[in-house]
Amino acid sequence: MHASPVREPSASQRLAVRNLNKVVELSLLDTLKVRDGRAIGDVRFGEIETMRMANAMEASIFRQIQRKYAFAAHDTKLRELLSADELNQMKQRAAEVADAQ
């Protein structure tokens, strides 16, 4: 028995390895998207607090609207339900909630 001679990989073998590496590298860091459509792996650490606060405030505003207008028609736009003053009050309450978290 003897070993096969050592040789450089062919172009097709190199291409196959590159394609395989692309598949292997694709992970949850690439497939989990944040609100702005970016992969979570592309979010900078310094952005987390701003994103978290904005999301908490947004969620709080939406919860307040749902509670107050629970029986609104499904296709009603929020501008048809709320006044700017109401939304401003909800935003202030949401900011308090976001700050508490």
Side-chain angles (χ1 to χ4, degrees):
M1 286 182 35
H2 66 283
S4 299
V6 176
R7 62 177 173 75
E8 290 295 315
S10 68
S12 63
Q13 288 171 325
R14 284 190 202 114
L15 179 61
V17 168
R18 276 194 302 269
N19 289 338
L20 181 61
N21 285 339
K22 287 178 187 176
V23 172
V24 170
E25 290 173 7
L26 190 62
S27 71
L28 194 55
L29 289 167
D30 302 299
T31 57
L32 181 61
K33 305 293 183 184
V34 294
R35 292 179 323 140
D36 64 7
R38 290 182 295 162
I40 197 164
D42 294 332
V43 173
R44 291 180 183 88
F45 183 80
E47 295 177 276
I48 292 174
E49 185 65 17
T50 302
M51 293 175 75
R52 190 183 66 80
M53 294 293 285
N55 198 26
M57 184 156 45
E58 209 174 81
S60 178
I61 290 170
F62 287 144
R63 278 192 300 274
Q64 291 177 66
I65 293 169
Q66 284 178 315
R67 281 189 206 118
K68 185 166 185 173
Y69 297 101
F71 299 105
H74 180 74
D75 60 345
T76 305
K77 291 186 178 181
L78 297 183
R79 69 176 66 253
E80 298 169 13
L81 293 175
L82 301 169
S83 69
D85 289 336
E86 276 182 296
L87 184 57
N88 190 41
Q89 290 172 358
M90 289 178 180
K91 182 180 174 193
Q92 289 174 356
R93 283 193 296 272
E96 292 168 7
V97 170
D99 286 343
Q101 293 182 356

XYZ file of all heavy atoms in Angstrom:
796
model
N 0.836 -1.175 0.000
C 0.000 0.000 0.000
C 0.879 1.235 0.000
O 1.904 1.271 0.658
C -0.885 0.023 1.248
C -2.006 -0.994 1.151
S -3.173 -1.067 2.519
C -3.373 0.527 3.111
N 0.409 2.176 -0.761
C 1.133 3.437 -0.754
C 0.122 4.587 -0.787
O -0.993 4.424 -1.256
C 2.111 3.503 -1.930
C 1.445 3.548 -3.256
N 0.898 2.435 -3.861
C 1.229 4.587 -4.099
C 0.362 2.782 -5.007
N 0.555 4.086 -5.185
N 0.522 5.729 -0.280
C -0.352 6.899 -0.206
C -0.395 7.595 -1.548
O 0.557 7.552 -2.313
C 0.163 7.854 0.860
N -1.537 8.252 -1.812
C -1.653 9.047 -3.035
C -0.724 10.247 -2.922
O -0.483 10.767 -1.826
C -3.087 9.553 -3.204
O -3.980 8.481 -3.310
N -0.195 10.692 -4.041
C 0.699 11.846 -3.979
C -0.051 13.110 -3.533
O -1.233 13.274 -3.813
C 1.205 11.990 -5.411
C 0.295 11.187 -6.255
C -0.371 10.184 -5.367
N 0.632 13.961 -2.809
C 0.052 15.216 -2.346
C 0.018 16.186 -3.516
O 0.985 16.319 -4.257
C 0.901 15.803 -1.190
C 0.362 17.156 -0.771
C 0.938 14.841 -0.032
N -1.124 16.870 -3.677
C -1.235 17.850 -4.753
C -2.132 18.991 -4.292
O -2.884 18.861 -3.330
C -1.795 17.214 -6.024
C -3.187 16.655 -5.850
C -3.737 16.099 -7.164
N -4.995 15.426 -6.968
C -6.161 16.014 -6.749
N -6.245 17.319 -6.706
N -7.252 15.314 -6.587
N -2.045 20.095 -4.978
C -2.892 21.237 -4.675
C -4.329 20.905 -5.077
O -4.558 20.176 -6.048
C -2.414 22.465 -5.461
C -1.080 23.028 -4.999
C -1.168 23.571 -3.589
O -2.147 24.277 -3.273
O -0.252 23.277 -2.805
N -5.314 21.463 -4.353
C -6.708 21.217 -4.739
C -7.004 21.879 -6.092
O -6.451 22.930 -6.426
C -7.526 21.870 -3.629
C -6.582 22.549 -2.725
C -5.196 22.251 -3.151
N -7.895 21.248 -6.822
C -8.281 21.795 -8.127
C -9.169 23.027 -7.934
O -9.664 23.289 -6.835
C -9.033 20.734 -8.932
O -10.285 20.483 -8.316
N -9.404 23.763 -8.998
C -10.263 24.955 -8.943
C -11.669 24.576 -8.493
O -12.292 25.287 -7.695
C -10.294 25.640 -10.303
N -12.184 23.443 -8.976
C -13.532 23.036 -8.585
C -13.584 22.648 -7.106
O -14.569 22.900 -6.421
C -14.033 21.897 -9.473
O -13.222 20.752 -9.310
N -12.514 22.054 -6.596
C -12.472 21.706 -5.181
C -12.419 22.965 -4.309
O -13.078 23.048 -3.276
C -11.264 20.811 -4.883
C -11.418 19.403 -5.437
C -10.136 18.602 -5.336
O -9.037 19.145 -5.486
N -10.278 17.304 -5.080
N -11.635 23.961 -4.741
C -11.573 25.226 -4.000
C -12.934 25.906 -3.977
O -13.368 26.425 -2.949
C -10.535 26.154 -4.633
C -9.127 25.780 -4.306
C -8.171 26.889 -4.751
N -6.869 26.320 -4.917
C -6.205 26.200 -6.055
N -6.705 26.673 -7.167
N -5.024 25.644 -6.081
N -13.622 25.908 -5.127
C -14.947 26.516 -5.213
C -15.924 25.790 -4.287
O -16.713 26.421 -3.580
C -15.459 26.498 -6.658
C -16.848 27.072 -6.890
C -16.884 28.542 -6.489
C -17.256 26.910 -8.346
N -15.856 24.473 -4.262
C -16.737 23.694 -3.395
C -16.498 24.034 -1.928
O -17.446 24.181 -1.149
C -16.529 22.194 -3.651
N -15.260 24.191 -1.540
C -14.937 24.535 -0.154
C -15.456 25.932 0.174
O -16.023 26.161 1.249
C -13.413 24.427 0.097
C -13.032 25.060 1.439
C -12.975 22.977 0.053
N -15.276 26.902 -0.743
C -15.786 28.257 -0.497
C -17.302 28.246 -0.339
O -17.842 28.899 0.554
C -15.392 29.198 -1.646
C -13.992 29.759 -1.485
C -13.760 30.936 -2.424
N -13.950 30.606 -3.822
C -13.000 30.181 -4.652
N -11.767 30.041 -4.219
N -13.267 29.901 -5.910
N -17.996 27.515 -1.197
C -19.458 27.432 -1.097
C -19.889 26.772 0.207
O -20.851 27.208 0.842
C -20.044 26.685 -2.289
C -19.952 27.476 -3.581
O -19.840 28.700 -3.555
N -19.978 26.784 -4.694
N -19.202 25.758 0.613
C -19.513 25.086 1.870
C -19.284 26.027 3.056
O -20.092 26.078 3.976
C -18.672 23.823 2.027
C -18.924 23.010 3.299
C -20.370 22.525 3.338
C -17.970 21.845 3.374
N -18.211 26.787 3.017
C -17.929 27.735 4.106
C -19.029 28.784 4.220
O -19.378 29.186 5.318
C -16.574 28.412 3.903
C -15.417 27.493 4.234
O -15.589 26.519 4.956
N -14.252 27.789 3.697
N -19.582 29.216 3.102
C -20.667 30.198 3.137
C -21.885 29.616 3.844
O -22.537 30.293 4.631
C -21.047 30.637 1.723
C -20.036 31.542 1.078
C -20.461 31.894 -0.332
C -19.366 32.661 -1.051
N -19.710 32.918 -2.440
N -22.194 28.377 3.568
C -23.337 27.723 4.200
C -23.083 27.538 5.688
O -23.954 27.806 6.516
C -23.629 26.358 3.528
C -24.678 25.590 4.309
C -24.066 26.560 2.093
N -21.911 27.119 6.052
C -21.574 26.872 7.443
C -21.566 28.177 8.234
O -22.014 28.235 9.368
C -20.204 26.157 7.549
C -19.724 26.105 8.986
C -20.304 24.765 6.956
N -21.062 29.254 7.636
C -20.961 30.527 8.329
C -22.317 31.178 8.572
O -22.456 31.993 9.455
C -20.075 31.489 7.536
C -18.617 31.101 7.551
C -17.781 31.958 6.623
O -18.310 32.943 6.062
O -16.601 31.648 6.465
N -23.317 30.830 7.773
C -24.646 31.404 7.959
C -25.223 30.858 9.254
O -25.373 29.668 9.444
C -25.542 31.011 6.772
C -26.874 31.712 6.682
C -26.678 33.205 6.501
C -27.683 31.160 5.533
N -25.494 31.755 10.168
C -25.969 31.330 11.476
C -27.091 32.243 11.927
O -27.539 33.117 11.189
C -24.824 31.385 12.491
O -24.504 32.737 12.768
N -27.517 32.077 13.145
C -28.543 32.926 13.720
C -28.099 34.386 13.726
O -28.912 35.290 13.593
C -28.872 32.454 15.137
C -30.130 33.009 15.761
C -31.345 32.757 14.880
C -30.359 32.407 17.124
N -26.797 34.621 13.830
C -26.284 35.987 13.771
C -26.589 36.641 12.424
O -26.632 37.859 12.318
C -24.779 36.011 14.028
C -24.361 35.701 15.458
C -22.870 35.449 15.536
C -24.772 36.813 16.393
N -26.794 35.833 11.400
C -27.102 36.340 10.069
C -28.593 36.319 9.759
O -29.076 37.130 8.979
C -26.381 35.495 9.006
C -24.884 35.505 9.214
O -24.292 36.592 9.163
O -24.318 34.423 9.443
N -29.317 35.394 10.361
C -30.720 35.213 9.983
C -31.698 35.928 10.908
O -32.803 36.250 10.483
C -31.081 33.713 9.937
O -30.816 33.126 11.205
C -30.273 32.999 8.868
N -31.320 36.189 12.158
C -32.192 36.921 13.076
C -32.070 38.404 12.763
O -30.983 38.976 12.833
C -31.810 36.648 14.525
C -32.660 37.347 15.588
C -34.113 36.903 15.496
C -32.115 37.085 16.968
N -33.184 39.012 12.393
C -33.178 40.419 11.980
C -33.760 41.303 13.064
O -34.686 40.925 13.765
C -34.011 40.607 10.700
C -33.603 39.716 9.542
C -32.244 40.065 9.011
C -31.923 39.196 7.806
N -30.614 39.411 7.291
N -33.202 42.502 13.192
C -33.749 43.498 14.104
C -34.737 44.357 13.326
O -34.900 44.199 12.117
C -32.633 44.343 14.767
C -31.781 43.470 15.678
C -31.771 45.045 13.752
N -35.399 45.292 14.008
C -36.484 46.063 13.401
C -36.116 46.782 12.121
O -36.937 46.936 11.240
C -37.020 47.089 14.399
C -37.737 46.474 15.550
C -38.237 47.488 16.542
N -37.315 48.590 16.707
C -37.684 49.853 16.825
N -38.933 50.180 16.820
N -36.788 50.800 16.971
N -34.890 47.228 11.989
C -34.520 47.965 10.777
C -34.056 47.053 9.644
O -33.605 47.521 8.619
C -33.476 49.042 11.080
C -32.149 48.472 11.574
O -31.968 47.242 11.565
O -31.290 49.282 11.968
N -34.184 45.741 9.832
C -33.878 44.794 8.775
C -32.456 44.256 8.788
O -32.129 43.352 8.027
N -31.619 44.780 9.642
C -30.240 44.288 9.707
C -30.170 42.983 10.469
O -30.985 42.723 11.359
C -29.335 45.299 10.425
C -29.070 46.550 9.665
C -28.141 47.471 10.429
N -28.785 47.919 11.655
C -28.126 48.438 12.674
N -26.814 48.576 12.636
N -28.773 48.840 13.753
N -29.168 42.186 10.137
C -28.904 40.973 10.906
C -28.406 41.395 12.280
O -27.656 42.368 12.412
C -27.853 40.120 10.209
N -28.802 40.660 13.309
C -28.412 41.031 14.664
C -26.897 41.022 14.830
O -26.342 41.795 15.597
C -29.109 40.141 15.726
C -29.018 40.802 17.103
C -28.551 38.737 15.716
C -29.966 40.240 18.120
N -26.224 40.204 14.066
C -24.762 40.169 14.127
C -24.108 41.453 13.646
O -22.940 41.707 13.935
N -24.834 42.283 12.909
C -24.295 43.541 12.386
C -24.585 44.738 13.288
O -24.148 45.848 13.001
C -24.856 43.813 10.992
C -24.375 42.796 9.978
O -23.268 42.248 10.166
O -25.094 42.540 8.996
N -25.344 44.521 14.359
C -25.650 45.605 15.296
C -24.402 45.865 16.142
O -23.765 44.937 16.624
C -26.846 45.229 16.203
C -27.062 46.269 17.290
C -28.099 45.053 15.363
N -24.073 47.143 16.307
C -22.938 47.508 17.152
C -23.377 47.514 18.610
O -24.493 47.896 18.931
C -22.423 48.891 16.763
C -21.766 48.901 15.410
C -21.281 50.302 15.071
N -20.708 50.337 13.756
C -21.396 50.549 12.637
N -22.694 50.752 12.680
N -20.792 50.561 11.467
N -22.483 47.121 19.483
C -22.800 47.054 20.905
C -23.323 48.394 21.409
O -24.258 48.450 22.197
C -21.571 46.620 21.715
C -21.865 46.465 23.177
C -22.476 45.317 23.652
C -21.563 47.474 24.071
C -22.771 45.177 24.997
C -21.848 47.343 25.415
C -22.450 46.191 25.877
N -22.741 49.485 20.949
C -23.145 50.811 21.387
C -24.557 51.196 20.978
O -25.120 52.152 21.501
N -25.149 50.474 20.043
C -26.510 50.758 19.586
C -27.582 50.089 20.441
O -28.753 50.454 20.370
C -26.703 50.263 18.145
C -25.859 50.964 17.113
C -26.079 50.346 15.748
O -25.414 49.325 15.451
O -26.912 50.875 14.990
N -27.199 49.108 21.213
C -28.179 48.276 21.919
C -29.096 49.094 22.816
O -30.314 48.935 22.775
C -27.480 47.166 22.730
C -26.833 46.160 21.796
C -28.473 46.472 23.661
C -25.998 45.118 22.508
N -28.542 49.966 23.619
C -29.369 50.701 24.580
C -30.413 51.560 23.866
O -31.581 51.570 24.251
C -28.485 51.569 25.485
C -29.250 52.277 26.586
C -29.885 51.333 27.602
O -29.507 50.150 27.671
O -30.785 51.783 28.333
N -30.000 52.263 22.833
C -30.937 53.107 22.082
C -32.036 52.266 21.449
O -33.215 52.619 21.511
C -30.185 53.888 20.989
O -29.162 54.662 21.600
C -31.123 54.798 20.222
N -31.656 51.142 20.864
C -32.639 50.265 20.223
C -33.592 49.675 21.258
O -34.794 49.589 21.036
C -31.930 49.157 19.446
C -31.165 49.676 18.247
S -30.213 48.383 17.427
C -31.533 47.515 16.598
N -33.053 49.281 22.392
C -33.875 48.678 23.448
C -34.873 49.687 23.990
O -36.052 49.384 24.170
C -32.970 48.160 24.571
C -33.682 47.315 25.599
C -32.734 46.896 26.705
N -32.280 48.011 27.496
C -32.993 48.576 28.470
N -34.181 48.133 28.763
N -32.507 49.587 29.150
N -34.420 50.890 24.233
C -35.301 51.938 24.764
C -36.396 52.277 23.756
O -37.557 52.426 24.120
C -34.490 53.187 25.118
C -33.515 52.986 26.254
S -34.318 52.706 27.819
C -34.867 54.345 28.184
N -36.022 52.421 22.491
C -37.004 52.758 21.454
C -38.042 51.659 21.343
O -39.246 51.932 21.231
C -36.303 52.985 20.121
N -37.607 50.424 21.390
C -38.528 49.309 21.264
C -39.460 49.226 22.465
O -40.645 48.961 22.321
C -37.751 48.004 21.077
C -38.611 46.905 20.518
O -39.591 47.152 19.835
N -38.247 45.684 20.821
N -38.932 49.458 23.658
C -39.761 49.415 24.864
C -40.799 50.532 24.824
O -41.965 50.327 25.174
C -38.891 49.535 26.119
N -40.388 51.708 24.377
C -41.318 52.831 24.318
C -42.393 52.557 23.264
O -43.572 52.776 23.509
C -40.588 54.139 23.999
C -41.543 55.303 24.028
S -40.882 56.943 24.325
C -39.472 57.057 23.324
N -41.991 52.066 22.127
C -42.939 51.730 21.066
C -43.956 50.700 21.549
O -45.158 50.853 21.338
C -42.143 51.156 19.883
C -42.740 51.379 18.545
C -41.775 50.896 17.483
O -41.736 49.670 17.223
O -41.060 51.737 16.914
N -43.465 49.654 22.193
C -44.355 48.599 22.694
C -45.333 49.162 23.715
O -46.523 48.813 23.711
C -43.530 47.463 23.303
N -44.856 50.042 24.581
C -45.725 50.644 25.588
C -46.809 51.500 24.946
O -47.975 51.445 25.342
C -44.897 51.486 26.558
O -45.742 52.104 27.503
N -46.449 52.274 23.938
C -47.439 53.101 23.230
C -48.491 52.209 22.586
O -49.695 52.456 22.705
C -46.760 54.003 22.177
C -45.946 55.098 22.879
C -47.790 54.628 21.253
C -45.054 55.898 21.943
N -48.056 51.155 21.914
C -49.011 50.262 21.257
C -49.942 49.586 22.264
O -51.135 49.434 22.012
C -48.293 49.215 20.401
C -47.706 49.774 19.134
C -46.505 49.291 18.649
C -48.347 50.763 18.414
C -45.960 49.784 17.478
C -47.815 51.262 17.237
C -46.617 50.767 16.774
N -49.409 49.190 23.428
C -50.258 48.579 24.459
C -51.314 49.568 24.952
O -52.481 49.204 25.134
C -49.413 48.085 25.637
C -48.778 46.724 25.404
C -48.190 46.151 26.684
N -47.159 46.982 27.276
C -45.861 46.950 26.943
N -45.444 46.104 26.029
N -44.998 47.738 27.544
N -50.907 50.814 25.158
C -51.852 51.831 25.614
C -52.963 52.049 24.577
O -54.138 52.166 24.937
C -51.127 53.160 25.866
C -50.198 53.128 27.057
C -49.460 54.440 27.194
O -50.091 55.455 27.455
N -48.142 54.412 27.008
N -52.598 52.095 23.323
C -53.588 52.293 22.256
C -54.542 51.103 22.214
O -55.761 51.271 22.108
C -52.900 52.512 20.896
C -52.132 53.840 20.901
C -53.923 52.495 19.763
C -51.203 54.029 19.707
N -53.995 49.897 22.305
C -54.844 48.701 22.278
C -55.825 48.693 23.439
O -56.980 48.312 23.268
C -53.992 47.429 22.319
C -53.327 47.108 21.007
C -52.471 45.868 21.126
O -51.710 45.697 22.083
N -52.584 44.996 20.146
N -55.377 49.082 24.621
C -56.275 49.104 25.777
C -57.390 50.134 25.589
O -58.547 49.870 25.871
C -55.489 49.431 27.041
C -54.733 48.260 27.582
C -54.143 48.573 28.952
N -52.977 47.746 29.151
C -51.742 48.202 29.315
N -51.501 49.480 29.329
N -50.748 47.365 29.479
N -57.007 51.314 25.131
C -57.980 52.400 25.025
C -58.966 52.183 23.881
O -60.129 52.529 23.989
C -57.259 53.737 24.850
C -58.210 54.910 24.854
C -57.507 56.226 25.019
C -58.546 57.323 25.140
N -57.963 58.597 25.469
N -58.506 51.614 22.793
C -59.345 51.457 21.598
C -59.507 49.981 21.242
O -59.395 49.590 20.080
C -58.724 52.226 20.426
C -58.656 53.705 20.689
C -57.466 54.303 21.083
C -59.787 54.503 20.572
C -57.401 55.666 21.338
C -59.737 55.865 20.828
C -58.544 56.430 21.216
O -58.490 57.774 21.469
N -59.802 49.166 22.217
C -59.866 47.716 22.032
C -60.878 47.285 20.979
O -60.724 46.244 20.353
C -60.180 47.036 23.358
N -61.912 48.086 20.761
C -62.968 47.676 19.831
C -62.918 48.419 18.507
O -63.888 48.411 17.745
C -64.338 47.850 20.495
C -64.478 47.000 21.723
C -64.413 47.556 22.993
C -64.624 45.625 21.614
C -64.522 46.770 24.133
C -64.729 44.825 22.742
C -64.678 45.389 24.003
N -61.791 49.046 18.197
C -61.648 49.748 16.917
C -61.622 48.735 15.773
O -61.187 47.591 15.946
C -60.369 50.567 16.909
N -62.087 49.156 14.622
C -62.060 48.289 13.441
C -60.612 47.970 13.079
O -59.713 48.809 13.215
C -62.761 48.970 12.272
N -60.402 46.768 12.607
C -59.073 46.252 12.294
C -58.320 47.146 11.310
O -57.105 47.300 11.409
C -59.216 44.829 11.734
C -57.925 44.187 11.375
N -57.043 43.726 12.335
C -57.359 43.939 10.185
C -55.992 43.213 11.721
N -56.151 43.322 10.437
N -59.008 47.725 10.351
C -58.335 48.499 9.302
C -58.294 50.007 9.584
O -57.913 50.798 8.727
C -58.984 48.236 7.944
C -60.456 48.610 7.911
O -61.050 48.813 8.986
O -61.006 48.694 6.800
N -58.662 50.408 10.795
C -58.632 51.825 11.158
C -57.201 52.275 11.389
O -56.449 51.632 12.121
C -59.448 52.072 12.450
O -60.768 51.577 12.275
C -59.492 53.551 12.791
N -56.827 53.363 10.756
C -55.486 53.908 10.966
C -55.456 54.633 12.301
O -56.447 55.235 12.725
C -55.113 54.871 9.837
C -54.906 54.161 8.529
C -54.408 55.107 7.476
C -54.174 54.329 6.192
N -53.669 55.180 5.133
N -54.307 54.589 12.936
C -54.180 55.190 14.261
C -54.433 56.689 14.233
O -54.970 57.248 15.182
C -52.814 54.889 14.862
C -52.530 53.401 15.118
C -51.190 53.232 15.788
C -53.637 52.758 15.920
N -54.126 57.348 13.142
C -54.378 58.786 13.056
C -55.868 59.101 13.083
O -56.265 60.215 13.371
C -53.698 59.397 11.834
C -54.274 58.996 10.493
C -53.618 59.705 9.297
N -52.224 59.344 9.118
C -51.191 60.157 9.401
N -51.385 61.365 9.843
N -49.961 59.750 9.226
N -56.699 58.094 12.776
C -58.144 58.274 12.828
C -58.678 58.078 14.251
O -59.798 58.478 14.557
C -58.837 57.297 11.880
C -58.460 57.507 10.415
C -58.935 56.383 9.508
O -59.758 55.553 9.944
O -58.464 56.324 8.365
N -57.896 57.453 15.106
C -58.311 57.191 16.483
C -57.792 58.231 17.464
O -58.509 58.656 18.366
C -57.798 55.815 16.936
C -58.370 54.576 16.274
C -57.642 53.342 16.765
C -59.862 54.464 16.531
N -56.531 58.579 17.319
C -55.829 59.382 18.317
C -55.684 60.836 17.894
O -55.506 61.122 16.717
C -54.387 58.870 18.483
C -54.155 57.456 18.913
C -52.689 57.116 18.753
C -54.558 57.293 20.351
N -55.667 61.681 18.878
C -55.257 63.064 18.615
C -53.766 63.150 18.927
O -53.197 62.282 19.601
C -56.034 64.025 19.519
O -55.628 63.865 20.871
N -53.136 64.201 18.457
C -51.716 64.403 18.735
C -51.485 64.555 20.242
O -50.486 64.055 20.775
C -51.200 65.622 17.986
N -52.425 65.207 20.922
C -52.290 65.372 22.376
C -52.351 64.030 23.101
O -51.579 63.776 24.029
C -53.377 66.303 22.927
C -53.155 67.753 22.525
O -51.994 68.122 22.230
O -54.141 68.513 22.507
N -53.279 63.166 22.689
C -53.381 61.831 23.301
C -52.083 61.054 23.105
O -51.582 60.425 24.027
C -54.512 61.023 22.653
C -55.877 61.259 23.187
C -56.866 60.353 22.483
O -57.059 60.503 21.261
O -57.428 59.479 23.163
N -51.588 61.084 21.872
C -50.362 60.350 21.574
C -49.196 60.901 22.383
O -48.369 60.137 22.883
C -50.051 60.391 20.080
C -48.835 59.583 19.637
C -48.965 58.120 20.039
C -48.629 59.713 18.139
N -49.147 62.209 22.544
C -48.073 62.805 23.332
C -48.140 62.333 24.783
O -47.112 62.014 25.393
C -48.142 64.332 23.253
C -46.915 64.979 23.845
O -45.798 64.518 23.638
N -47.121 66.043 24.602
N -49.333 62.252 25.348
C -49.490 61.753 26.722
C -49.049 60.294 26.816
O -48.378 59.895 27.774
C -50.935 61.899 27.181
C -51.363 63.333 27.398
C -52.863 63.449 27.663
O -53.593 62.464 27.647
N -53.319 64.677 27.900
N -49.444 59.497 25.812
C -49.041 58.091 25.801
C -47.527 57.970 25.679
O -46.907 57.110 26.311
C -49.732 57.353 24.654
C -51.199 57.153 24.860
S -51.928 56.332 23.420
C -53.640 56.231 23.929
N -46.937 58.826 24.860
C -45.485 58.795 24.684
C -44.786 59.127 26.003
O -43.785 58.497 26.348
C -45.071 59.786 23.600
C -43.593 59.776 23.322
C -43.221 60.778 22.251
C -41.710 60.820 22.110
N -41.264 61.947 21.325
N -45.296 60.089 26.726
C -44.706 60.440 28.022
C -44.790 59.278 29.003
O -43.821 58.962 29.700
C -45.381 61.685 28.599
C -45.025 62.953 27.855
C -45.806 64.165 28.342
O -46.686 64.049 29.202
N -45.489 65.328 27.783
N -45.958 58.619 29.055
C -46.097 57.456 29.943
C -45.160 56.330 29.491
O -44.549 55.645 30.307
C -47.549 56.972 29.959
C -48.461 57.833 30.811
C -49.801 57.177 31.067
N -50.602 56.969 29.868
C -51.463 57.850 29.347
N -51.640 59.022 29.940
N -52.144 57.580 28.263
N -45.044 56.157 28.184
C -44.158 55.106 27.650
C -42.701 55.391 27.984
O -41.934 54.466 28.290
C -44.342 54.989 26.142
N -42.311 56.651 27.943
C -40.943 57.014 28.293
C -40.651 56.685 29.749
O -39.553 56.219 30.089
C -40.699 58.493 28.012
N -41.636 56.904 30.594
C -41.471 56.565 32.008
C -41.288 55.059 32.178
O -40.445 54.605 32.956
C -42.678 57.051 32.812
C -42.790 58.551 32.892
C -44.132 59.027 33.441
O -44.937 58.186 33.894
O -44.375 60.245 33.415
N -42.067 54.286 31.443
C -41.965 52.820 31.497
C -40.590 52.372 30.982
O -39.920 51.533 31.590
C -43.080 52.146 30.679
C -42.847 50.659 30.515
C -44.445 52.412 31.322
N -40.164 52.953 29.864
C -38.882 52.575 29.276
C -37.723 52.926 30.208
O -36.774 52.167 30.333
C -38.705 53.250 27.928
N -37.836 54.070 30.886
C -36.782 54.474 31.826
C -36.715 53.539 33.028
O -35.652 53.313 33.583
C -37.030 55.900 32.318
C -36.700 56.934 31.247
O -35.997 56.594 30.274
O -37.180 58.085 31.388
N -37.872 53.004 33.419
C -37.922 52.122 34.583
C -37.298 50.750 34.301
O -36.946 50.046 35.234
C -39.361 51.953 35.054
N -37.198 50.397 33.045
C -36.671 49.056 32.711
C -35.181 49.002 32.698
O -34.424 49.764 32.486
C -37.216 48.595 31.356
C -38.690 48.360 31.413
C -39.241 47.852 30.091
O -38.543 47.741 29.099
N -40.502 47.543 30.061
